[in-house]
């Protein structure tokens, strides 16, 4: 791999840029003359290589420069010495949620994990998410998540507010669900959730991502459905014991536990365990 | 014989971004059996990166807006090379497509009286972009994704189409491999919609994801359809330039729509220096008026930071070239200055531009509410694509449709910001509707088995090539060389002699691409995937270069240093490329049909 490329993003062929400009994406080793120090620094990455049948960590050394993120290093290793190293990514800007992995044991988006936040005197470990089966190297089979979503009752709006078929909503009302709709479906919250990760309750529990999804539907100002029964039964909300791990790893800073899961749990309690309502129900049934 | 599994659909949609999802939904609504193929996981397509908003003349914020103004803005932005029928349909139908998204669950930002809020954007006369902060693309794709899933559409995720299969003169299906296991798949389908997005990965500085390797463009071209307007590659004026590893990542035009200004290293707001003639009457001539405009003052004209993207990209380049750029080779984009104009400016910025705040904080350690950003042009969008019929989106090859960035026509020589998301919705829907109609009226096609065998053989070749020790070359080196070459020789500023060199370079790279070898096996092997992408990248690179050579003028997104002016002789035709009998690329000039009188009148009224 050529380490430095003269690339003119600004002023192609102009010759005015007094520094080496580097391409984004697959290669980022070239240094800017703005960064301090003379020689390129080297860092070691322990990358998990293998497939569903098993695998092991392999060690790769590569050069690092200012501003690099873990995904840059992985791409560099891929281009230099491991062409077939499998990794998912798309946007490289924290918007698509594809490059989820565990960096030094923490669930992270690789594109948003800067190397200067890590101790590069020690090897950096990069491994696939633990809560899902490995396909190959850093890529896991997350298809279960797509199946879960199919089981959630769809958005069902009330009749339009205006004769032209449109609705009126206040910004303060939409703010609440907009927080949940920021979710990029990286599934890091699913990865860190002990109900899925340690106890493998994938058949009984939909996980924090889909509780956020249900919350977005339930609190949608236009929605008319009621998903509370399923939350308690098919979706297994009772398994969540509010350890808040999901909130901590969310790259979009969604307050998953406090703003989505706890209010849903309250709805379940209100609807199914409220003694006053229970009496009313009993009374009605008796009629 | 090749080993593969077969799937039968009436309509096959290739690509699951905004256009592909909308096409699939529409085709499925008509009762067709729809298959949707995408290279990534569902919901990760490039559409998620669209930030600013979707352009639609809802007239919620400014009642002077209408489809007529939107039409005129789009035509002016495209320098009148647009397919005017598409520009008409787009302007008329975009509002319904946006309202429909709301009915499917999308949650847009609101006006004080509770309707969908709209923001300012470059080239749009009035605030027109329905948006959700600066993550409109994510909102749109998630809404469409969830709706399509609820409809029960068959989705083939992480699957790459490598060839279209013809039965004589008609489309019969597609040959593909699944990325995780590397197994081959054959899709039988009477109609195919290409919604594969763009070609940005042919360049080294780009806002595009790895998926943008010109697949749809190349598949259509190889199958015999015509491509059009390929010389028009849009360089978005504001990509990140620092730190190096994020170079090219987009900074939304929404920053300028919310009042962000461009300044050079001397602190001069240089966009006032050169306002093009055809925009002068609509552009503010002082800073105060520009600020009033972004604050919603209807008597004010828009600031020059909201001129079209081609113009701003060139203005930034001029500053850099003349030594007035920022330390890392861009200029400064400053939104923090609005603190001098409004109280609580930092909170306002975080609310209006949350993704940008997050992106700069995390990737560049810069607080955009307090400091300017460094920005410069980045390859962003191709106006060119498959030549299609304006109403039906069918290509010149019966049964093959294209929509979104993979199709040409709507945007002419330059696309206005926000017109992409509306394009996806309007023409995604039309492509789906007409593809389903076509499939219903057509008898099943036959997949010739020898074509499948031949395609499978070609796909596996990179594994079989001898690796002569150190002389064996991997696919990444070829890809990198191509990207650097296109950036240098067929980039923002173009010259005859450099583009001729690029053609020689492409021919040489074709030989290298035919010899690359890959290691490992077929399971989730990015090296292999990259090797197969090379042909597509080379085809689109050649198409861009040959079309750019043919257009000996500067217009819209194309700037020719050797022909710096607009030439009226080039105003009335599109440039197309098709594949000749011997595989050579044939460049043609296709006259633009005269615009309907009523539309001409609208253009005149809005001048």
């Amino acid at each position: 791999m050529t380490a430095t490329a003269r690339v003119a993003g600004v002023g192609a062929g102009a010759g005015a840029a007094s520094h080496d400009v580097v391409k984004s994406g697959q290669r980022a080793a070239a240094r800017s003359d703005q960064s301090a120090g003379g020689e390129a620094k080297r860092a070691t990455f322990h990358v998990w290589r293998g497939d569903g049948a098993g695998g092991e960590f392999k060690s790769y050394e590569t050069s690092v420069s200012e501003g690099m993120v873990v995904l840059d290093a992985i791409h560099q290793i891929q281009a230099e010495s491991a062409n077939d190293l499998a990794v998912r990514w798309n946007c490289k800007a924290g918007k698509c949620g594809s490059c989820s992995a565990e960096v030094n044991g923490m669930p992270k988006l690789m594109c948003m994990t800067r190397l200067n936040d890590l101790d590069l005197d020690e090897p950096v470990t990069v491994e696939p998410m633990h809560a899902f089966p490995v396909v190959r190297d850093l890529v896991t089979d997350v298809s279960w998540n797509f199946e879960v979503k199919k089981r959630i009752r769809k958005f069902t709006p009330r009749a339009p507010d205006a004769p032209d078929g449109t609705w009126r909503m206040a910004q303060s009302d939409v703010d609440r669900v907009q927080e949940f709709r920021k979710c990029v479906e990286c599934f890091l919250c699913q990865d860190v959730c002990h109900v899925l990760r340690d106890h493998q309750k994938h058949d009984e529990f939909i996980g924090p991502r889909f509780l956020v999804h249900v919350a977005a539907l339930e609190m949608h100002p236009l929605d008319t459905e009621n998903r509370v029964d399923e939350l308690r039964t098919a979706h297994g909300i009772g398994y969540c014991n509010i350890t808040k791990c999901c909130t901590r790893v969310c790259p979009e800073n969604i307050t998953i536990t406090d703003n989505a899961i706890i209010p849903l749990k309250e709805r379940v309690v209100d609807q199914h365990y409220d003694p006053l309502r229970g009496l009313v129900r009993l009374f009605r049934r008796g009629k | 014989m090749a080993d593969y599994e077969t799937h039968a659909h009436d309509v096959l949609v290739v690509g699951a971004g905004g256009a592909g999802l909308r096409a699939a939904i529409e085709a499925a609504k008509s009762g067709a059996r729809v298959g949707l193929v995408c290279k990534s996981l569902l919901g990760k397509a490039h559409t998620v990166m669209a930030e600013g908003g979707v352009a639609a003349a809802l007239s919620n914020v400014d009642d002077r807006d209408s489809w007529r103004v939107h039409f005129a803005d789009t035509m002016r932005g495209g320098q009148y090379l647009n397919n005017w029928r598409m520009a008409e349909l787009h302007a008329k139908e975009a509002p319904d497509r946006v309202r429909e998204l709301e009915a499917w669950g999308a949650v847009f930002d609101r006006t004080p009286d509770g309707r969908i809020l709209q923001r300012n954007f470059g080239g749009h006369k009035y605030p027109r972009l329905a948006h959700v902060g600066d993550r409109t693309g994510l909102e749109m794709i998630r809404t469409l994704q969830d709706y399509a899933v609820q409809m029960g559409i068959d989705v083939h995720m992480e699957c790459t189409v490598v060839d279209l299969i013809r039965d004589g003169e008609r489309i019969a299906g597609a040959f593909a491999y699944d990325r995780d296991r590397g197994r081959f798949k054959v899709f039988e389908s009477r109609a195919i919609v290409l919604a594969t997005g763009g070609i940005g990965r042919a360049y080294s500085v780009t806002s595009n994801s790895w998926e943008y390797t010109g697949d749809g463009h190349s598949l259509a071209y190889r199958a015999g359809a015509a491509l059009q307007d390929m010389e028009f590659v849009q360089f978005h004026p504001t990509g990140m330039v620092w730190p190096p590893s994020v170079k090219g990542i987009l900074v939304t035009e929404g920053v300028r729509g919310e009042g962000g200004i461009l300044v050079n290293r001397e602190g001069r707001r240089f966009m006032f220096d050169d306002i093009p003639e055809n925009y002068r009457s609509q552009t503010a001539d002082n800073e105060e008026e520009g600020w009033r405009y972004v604050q919603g003052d209807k008597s004010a004209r828009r600031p020059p930071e909201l001129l079209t993207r081609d113009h701003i990209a060139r203005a930034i380049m001029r500053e850099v070239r003349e030594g007035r750029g920022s330390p890392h080779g861009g200029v400064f984009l400053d939104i923090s200055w609005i603190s001098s104009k409004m109280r609580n400016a930092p909170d306002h910025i975080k609310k209006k531009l949350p993704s940008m705040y997050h992106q700069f904080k995390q990737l560049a350690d810069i607080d955009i509410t307090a400091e300017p950003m460094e920005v410069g042009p980045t390859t962003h969008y191709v106006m060119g694509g498959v030549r299609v019929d304006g109403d039906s989106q069918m290509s010149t090859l019966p049964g093959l449709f294209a929509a979104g960035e993979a199709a040409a026509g709507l945007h002419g020589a330059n696309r206005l910001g926000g017109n992409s998301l509306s394009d996806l919705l309007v023409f995604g829907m039309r492509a789906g509707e007409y593809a389903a109609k076509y499939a219903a009226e057509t008898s099943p096609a036959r997949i010739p088995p020898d074509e499948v065998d031949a395609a499978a053989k070609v796909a596996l070749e990179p594994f079989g090539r001898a690796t002569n020790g150190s002389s064996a070359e991997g696919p990444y080196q070829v890809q990198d060389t191509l990207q650097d070459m296109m950036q240098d020789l067929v980039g923002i500023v173009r010259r005859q002699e450099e583009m001729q060199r690029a053609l020689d370079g492409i021919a040489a790279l074709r030989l290298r691409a035919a010899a690359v070898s890959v290691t490992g096996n077929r399971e989730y092997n990015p090296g292999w995937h990259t090797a197969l992408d090379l042909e597509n990248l080379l085809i689109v690179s050649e198409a861009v270069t040959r079309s750019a050579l043919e257009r000996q003028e500067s217009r819209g997104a194309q700037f020719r240093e050797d022909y710096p002016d607009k030439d009226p002789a080039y105003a009335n035709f599109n440039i197309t490329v098709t594949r000749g009998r011997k595989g050579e690329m044939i460049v043609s000039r296709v006259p633009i049909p005269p615009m309907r009188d009523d539309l001409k009148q609208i253009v005149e009224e809005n001048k």
Side-chain angles (χ1 to χ4, degrees), chain A residues 153 218 223-231 267 271:
Chain A
R153 265 187 221 225
E218 283 289 300
D223 185 71
T224 57
E225 271 287 1
N226 185 336
R227 300 166 187 82
V228 173
D229 276 343
E230 289 109 299
L231 275 175
R267 289 185 186 205
Q271 204 161 312

Side-chain angles (χ1 to χ4, degrees), chain B residues 466-473:
Chain B
T467 51
N468 278 336
S470 59
S471 69
E473 189 174 37

Side-chain angles (χ1 to χ4, degrees), chain B residues 267-564:
Chain B
R268 181 176 172 76
R269 195 170 163 189
F270 57 88
M271 286 308 301
F272 278 107
D273 296 349
D274 175 22
I275 296 167
E277 192 51 49
N278 60 337
Y279 281 99
R280 192 154 298 168
S281 66
Q282 301 182 0
T283 308
D285 50 22
N286 65 76
E287 299 192 2
E288 189 53 37
E289 184 179 6
W291 172 247
R292 282 194 285 118
Y293 177 89
V294 298
Q295 289 306 292
D297 181 342
K298 290 184 180 175
S299 69
R301 294 170 299 175
R302 63 181 170 232
E305 277 82 4
L306 292 178
L307 286 163
T308 54
R309 290 175 173 177
D310 56 321
H311 179 75
I312 294 173
R314 279 195 296 276
I316 292 175
M317 282 185 51
R318 180 193 64 214
E319 294 304 307
V320 172
R321 208 182 333 189
E322 293 173 8
R324 296 188 295 273
S326 65
H328 301 103
V331 295
F332 297 105
L333 171 61
D334 191 6
I335 183 78
S336 68
W337 81 283
I338 68 172
S339 290
S340 67
K341 294 281 186 187
M342 61 163 53
R343 271 189 288 174
N344 300 329
D347 288 340
H348 177 78
I349 294 166
K350 282 185 211 168
K351 167 75 195 162
K352 289 291 183 181
L353 302 160
S355 289
M356 285 303 108
Y357 176 75
H358 192 60
Q359 182 174 314
F360 272 88
K361 193 85 193 138
Q362 205 143 348
L363 294 175
D365 207 13
I366 280 175
D367 177 355
I368 67 168
T369 68
E371 304 166 72
M373 302 159 243
E374 269 191 87
V375 296
T378 178
T379 315
H380 183 55
Y381 189 88
V382 60
M383 275 63 77
V386 179
R387 182 176 166 83
V388 292
D389 171 71
D391 286 81
S392 69
Q393 297 287 286
M394 188 153 84
S395 73
T396 52
L397 182 66
L400 184 64
F401 298 76
E405 195 171 352
L410 171 60
H411 310 292
N414 184 35
R415 174 174 72 79
L416 301 185
N419 269 1
S420 176
L421 291 188
S422 43
D423 174 11
L424 306 184
L425 295 172
V426 169
F427 294 105
M429 173 182 156
R430 283 185 163 265
E433 176 189 347
Y434 284 90
K437 201 178 278 180
Y438 179 91
E441 291 163 356
T442 320
S443 58
R446 191 190 62 98
I447 300 261
D450 51 328
E451 284 210 22
V452 176
D453 288 343
K457 188 165 164 286
V458 171
L460 291 175
E461 273 172 5
F463 286 111
R465 288 181 193 131
T467 51
N468 278 336
S470 59
S471 69
E473 189 174 37
Y476 296 106
Q477 286 83 344
V478 178
Q479 182 186 264
D480 282 354
T481 310
L482 176 69
Q483 290 169 339
D484 289 350
M485 190 188 78
M486 289 299 287
Q487 190 80 37
D488 275 349
L489 303 180
V490 201
I492 307 176
V493 174
R494 297 170 179 175
R495 296 177 202 88
Q496 169 98 10
E497 177 271 329
E498 289 186 344
M499 289 194 284
Q500 290 293 354
R501 262 169 45 212
L503 287 180
D504 295 341
I506 288 166
L509 285 171
R510 199 160 263 140
L511 297 177
R512 281 170 61 184
V516 296
S517 91
V518 299
T519 54
N521 61 32
R522 285 161 67 174
E523 290 189 1
Y524 220 112
N525 186 336
W528 181 40
H529 304 159
T530 304
L532 296 184
D533 290 342
L534 289 175
E535 187 187 3
N536 297 345
L537 282 171
L538 286 162
I539 286 174
V540 295
S541 297
E542 185 179 347
V544 170
T545 310
R546 288 196 187 280
S547 304
L549 276 164
E550 180 73 7
R551 185 170 288 282
Q552 295 183 344
E553 66 157 353
S554 294
R555 179 186 296 270
Q558 155 137 310
F559 184 72
R560 290 277 306 254
E561 199 167 63
D562 41 2
Y563 299 96

Side-chain angles (χ1 to χ4, degrees), chain B residues 121-135:
Chain B
F121 235 55
H124 294 276
K125 194 168 180 184
Y126 303 119
R128 188 177 287 146
L129 268 67
H131 62 279
V132 187
D134 53 6
R135 47 165 199 86

